[in-house]
Structure formats: C-alpha cells, structure tokens
Amino acid sequence: MKNLIFLFSCLLFISSCKKDATKEEQIPVAQTITNVAYGSDAAQKMDIYLPAGRNVDSTKVIIMVHGGAWSAGDKNDFISYVPVLQQRLPGYAVVNINYRLASGTANPFPAQENDIKAALEFIIQKGSEYQISQKFVLLGASAGAHMSLLQANKYATPKIKAVVDLFGPTDMAALYSNASLPTLQFALQLLLSGTPSTNQALYFQSSPINFVTAQSPPTIILHGSADVVVPISQSVLLHQKLQSVGVTSQFVEYTGLGHDVWPAATMTDAFNKIEAFIKANVN
C-alpha cells in the first residue's frame, strides 16, 4: 500500500510539472513578423513587433504611419524608431505600415485613407492570433500624421486611444491656399483630383480638423516653427479646435526648426514628451 501511495504521489508530481511546463510554453515570447500583407496590393504591407508576455486584454498597440507627401516614403523610414518605442514602452506591440502611394493618376486620395482603415481592421482580425488588444495609438509624421489624425477623428471605430502628430497637415484647403512651395500645390492637385475650388468636397473630407469632436482622442502635436512645407498654423488650429471641445491636447513648438529632419537632441526631447503623454492618457 505504501508503495502504491508513493507511486501515485510521483505520478501527480510529474503531471503537475508537465502542466506547468505546458503553461510556460504558452506564454508568448517576443516576435517580429515583417512584410505581412493586409491587402492584395504589393504596397499593403506591415511589420509587426510583438512583446513578450502579451495578451489580448492589456497589450496596447502603437501603429506607425510614415510620411512622404502621400507619394513617397516607406515604412523603413521609421524603422530606427521601433527600438526607441520598444525601450520606452516595453509592453506595447509596434506595427509599422506601408500604404499605396499616389503617383500621377494612380492611387489618388482616398486610397491612402482606405489603406489605414484596412490595416487597422486587419490588426483587429489578427488580435487573438497575435495576442494583442484593440487599444491603438496612432503615430505619424507629415502625411502619415495627417492620415493618423483623419482616421482617429473621422471614424468612431476602432476607437483610437491617442494620436502622436508630428507636423501633420490638418486643413487641406488652407494648406493649398497658403502653400509657399508651388510643388506642394501641384502635389495636392494630383492627390485630391483638383483644387479646393474644383473639388471642394474631397478637400473637406480629407481634412482632419473638420471631424474633431468631443469624442476625439487625446492628441500630442509636435511642430517646428520654421516649417515651410506644412506651416505651423496647421497645428495651432488643430490644437485650438481640440481644446475648444474639451479634448486633451498638448502642443509642442520647436523654435527655428523646419520640416522632417530634426536634430538628435530634439528627437530625444520629442520622445520624452511622447512617452509621458502616452503613459498619462492611454489606459
């Protein structure tokens, strides 16, 4: 009898160990998946960086949208910032996306808007597989910031938790009218199939500022005062509109800096502010 009891105890111990080992094996490890297709076009790809220990209830997601005047750029433009975000916000998944670029008469707006929406829907569909939540933060620069703002303010679902806006256009008609670069006006005409006079509806529909409501997500806006591509007035107007409806908005002006390329010290300060803003406003 004693031998049987001893044998039974050993079997229980072994079974318990196996269960613990199985449980440990099921804990997600850090994973990187590159060039995942979220659509049929070759440009509709994303890189996905998944943290260890993630789960569908609490693992938040930062979605990065590159700039390039809607007609250039690539997700690789943002790749050096992925480890920065991973270090500062280690519990977050990071998704870095590409989208169709406007070129001549190909892929005019709203192709880019539709791609951002399709990418988010794909991430939602893959939530259980990737073990991530639907708590999304959008981070974009220039045209990428414009599309992030448009998605966050124009669409009620998925509900975006916060937006990081690096010098993004907010009022497309004003951007056209006040453009200091003739090439920008030409690019906007191609993108939006005309001018504000000939295609007023699309200029309105493509302007994030027109969709700001009290339900808009908390937004941090960073802009250089000497930006001649996207005037800082675009960000000032957005900040004022967000504040007027009671939405949390932080506006950061970098005196004397222009568009796109900022010194390393400025980028460090920007990420300090971005990290603090996300931690304070995303639950």
Side-chain angles (χ1 to χ4, degrees):
M1 179 63 72
K2 289 182 179 179
N3 289 339
L4 286 174
I5 292 173
F6 177 77
L7 179 61
F8 183 70
S9 298
C10 289
L11 289 172
L12 283 176
F13 178 76
I14 292 169
S15 175
S16 176
C17 289
K18 286 183 177 179
K19 287 180 181 178
D20 288 343
T22 302
K23 186 177 180 182
E24 185 175 347
E25 289 169 2
Q26 290 175 345
I27 296 175
V29 297
Q31 187 179 7
T32 297
I33 315 169
T34 59
N35 292 316
V36 176
Y38 66 87
S40 59
D41 193 279
Q44 295 170 317
K45 299 283 178 66
M46 62 174 67
D47 297 339
I48 303 166
Y49 304 85
L50 302 171
R54 61 193 178 274
N55 64 74
V56 294
D57 296 318
S58 61
T59 299
K60 306 174 188 74
V61 185
I62 296 179
I63 299 157
M64 307 173 75
V65 189
H66 71 80
W70 305 277
S71 61
D74 186 86
K75 57 185 168 64
N76 288 332
D77 298 343
F78 262 165
I79 200 167
S80 62
Y81 299 121
V82 171
V84 176
L85 292 172
Q86 289 176 313
Q87 181 179 10
R88 289 174 174 271
L89 301 164
Y92 278 71
V94 179
V95 178
N96 189 13
I97 72 171
N98 268 346
Y99 50 87
R100 288 172 292 171
L101 301 174
S103 177
T105 58
N107 302 322
F109 203 83
Q112 299 74 32
E113 176 184 349
N114 292 338
D115 281 0
I116 305 304
K117 190 166 181 59
L120 296 186
E121 290 170 352
F122 176 86
I123 297 167
I124 291 171
Q125 292 169 4
K126 291 288 187 176
S128 296
E129 178 182 337
Y130 293 149
Q131 288 289 290
I132 54 178
S133 75
Q134 294 182 27
K135 299 174 181 178
F136 297 158
V137 175
L138 294 177
L139 184 157
S142 194
H146 160 258
M147 289 184 288
S148 297
L149 290 166
L150 194 62
Q151 172 67 39
N153 290 282
K154 191 174 183 178
Y155 297 101
T157 56
K159 176 63 177 175
I160 303 303
K161 294 295 185 180
V163 181
V164 179
D165 163 20
L166 293 157
F167 42 85
T170 63
D171 185 327
M172 301 297 270
L175 182 65
Y176 182 92
S177 299
N178 300 318
S180 59
L181 302 174
T183 52
L184 178 58
Q185 284 191 327
F186 180 70
L188 288 172
Q189 287 181 42
L190 290 177
L191 178 73
L192 299 175
S193 304
T195 69
S197 298
T198 63
N199 201 348
Q200 182 180 4
L202 193 54
Y203 274 81
F204 182 92
Q205 288 294 323
S206 61
S207 297
I209 200 165
N210 294 329
F211 300 97
V212 170
T213 69
Q215 285 69 50
S216 293
T219 303
I220 181 170
I221 306 163
L222 306 99
H223 211 130
S225 66
D227 193 330
V228 296
V229 179
V230 179
I232 196 170
S233 58
Q234 292 271 308
S235 288
V236 172
L237 290 172
L238 176 64
H239 178 57
Q240 292 173 344
K241 182 72 174 288
L242 289 165
Q243 286 191 315
S244 72
V245 295
V247 174
T248 299
S249 176
Q250 181 179 347
F251 178 58
V252 182
E253 177 180 345
Y254 289 111
T255 304
L257 294 185
H259 194 77
D260 208 24
V261 180
W262 289 350
T266 301
M267 290 307 301
T268 297
D269 181 76
F271 273 110
N272 286 341
K273 289 179 169 61
I274 291 167
E275 176 187 354
F277 187 86
I278 290 174
K279 287 180 175 178
N281 292 284
V282 181
N283 299 317

